[in-house]
Amino acid sequence: MLETPHDPGGSSRYEHAAHGLRRRDLDPDPIKQFANWFTAAIEAGIRDVNAMSLATAGRDARPSVRVVLLKGFDQDGFVFFTNYESEKGKQLEANPYAALAFYWIELDRQIRISGAVEKTSREESERYFHSRPLGSQLGAWASRQSEVVDGRRVLDARMAEMTERFADKPIALPPHWGGYCVKPEIMEFWQGRPNRLHDRFRYALQASGEWLIGRLAP
Ligand SMILES: Cc1cc2nc3c(=O)[nH]c(=O)nc-3n(C[C@H](O)[C@H](O)[C@H](O)COP(=O)(O)O)c2cc1C
């Protein structure tokens, strides 16, 4: 087995984390806490700051994970867009729960979010779809995401077909494409600290609608 290096990031990233995460610094509202950390990550110039791992499992209960882009968040939840007929789409149809994870190496921070998943409204999907570059809109029509393809030429041919089909008319939102919103039930904020004694705080949504905050052992 090829062993990975002990601390590939080196010790510099710990400088950002020297003061850690304290209970009194946390916003009582985890969405606001997320917004604070997300803003800090943008200000730190982190690339692909909105890239997040999305874990799903279908009826067979076997988890699968892939990266998608967070396209918006508010008190309702965390939104990404995809193909509803992809592997993740089928899994979410069978089992509408998901988990998300962000890792921002430069800040040595991780955020985990899990909860039930709902499709966004067609209006919201429409709005986002039409804000994308034309090539991406055509790509959503051309690609049967997660299906086996015979070769690159099949994709190129589908793209050419769609380009012709929509040459002189607006590109409609494909019925198989749109957003999902992950409605958080658990959110965890993880701050790396020296000696692996990291700070972890978990927010758990209570039946009353309140968030219970607890510190977890690293
Ligand atoms: C940085 C990055 C961002 C991505 N963003 C998305 C996205 O927003 N939506 C999407 O459907 N796939 C996105 N992908 C591709 C997915 O990781 C994945 O290949 C695709 O959604 C098919 O997943 P599935 O077969 O599990 O359904 C992204 C990949 C990377 C590396």
Side-chain angles (χ1 to χ4, degrees), residues 2-214:
L2 175 67
E3 294 190 0
T4 58
H6 219 51
D7 183 7
S11 57
S12 66
R13 63 205 169 106
Y14 287 127
E15 285 163 26
H16 297 281
H19 67 283
L21 179 62
R22 289 163 298 200
R23 176 70 179 78
R24 63 178 180 278
D25 295 333
L26 292 175
D27 196 292
D29 177 347
I31 309 293
K32 290 192 184 146
Q33 180 62 36
F34 180 88
N36 292 342
W37 272 26
F38 195 69
T39 305
I42 292 170
E43 284 168 358
I46 290 175
R47 274 188 65 200
D48 283 340
V49 65
N50 59 337
M52 56 187 187
S53 300
L54 161 74
T56 53
R59 239 183 286 278
D60 64 4
R62 293 187 178 220
S64 66
V65 65
R66 78 292 284 158
V67 173
V68 295
L69 296 179
L70 177 71
K71 285 295 169 180
F73 67 93
D74 59 16
Q75 290 295 332
D76 286 338
F78 295 81
V79 172
F80 63 92
F81 292 88
T82 193
N83 187 313
Y84 289 145
E85 292 167 4
S86 63
E87 183 188 77
K88 73 182 98 45
K90 287 179 180 147
Q91 290 177 332
L92 287 170
E93 189 68 35
N95 175 26
Y97 292 88
L100 306 171
F102 293 84
Y103 175 46
W104 297 318
I105 190 167
E106 293 86 344
L107 298 173
D108 210 14
R109 285 178 172 174
Q110 173 181 236
I111 302 177
R112 297 166 64 182
I113 300 165
S114 57
V117 178
E118 287 175 9
K119 282 182 179 167
T120 57
S121 68
R122 289 316 274 164
E123 293 72 40
E124 190 173 349
S125 297
E126 192 103 43
R127 234 187 344 266
Y128 174 65
F129 183 77
H130 288 118
S131 76
R132 304 174 84 211
L134 288 185
S136 306
Q137 296 184 36
L138 290 168
W141 277 104
S143 167
R144 299 192 174 107
Q145 193 177 52
S146 314
E147 284 189 13
V148 175
V149 271
D150 252 359
R152 180 88 215 172
R153 71 196 146 69
V154 178
L155 290 177
D156 293 340
R158 288 268 305 164
M159 192 67 171
E161 196 186 312
M162 293 304 148
T163 307
E164 196 176 327
R165 176 164 155 195
F166 291 107
D168 47 9
K169 49 178 178 280
I171 306 169
L173 171 68
H176 58 263
W177 200 94
Y180 285 106
C181 181
V182 180
K183 300 182 161 299
E185 291 160 15
I186 304 270
M187 289 182 61
E188 183 195 317
F189 294 84
W190 183 103
Q191 175 71 68
R193 298 291 306 271
N195 303 321
R196 304 277 184 246
L197 286 181
H198 313 301
D199 289 323
R200 299 176 64 190
F201 288 97
R202 181 172 63 194
Y203 294 68
L205 184 61
Q206 308 298 292
S208 63
E210 283 171 302
W211 289 94
L212 191 71
I213 305 178

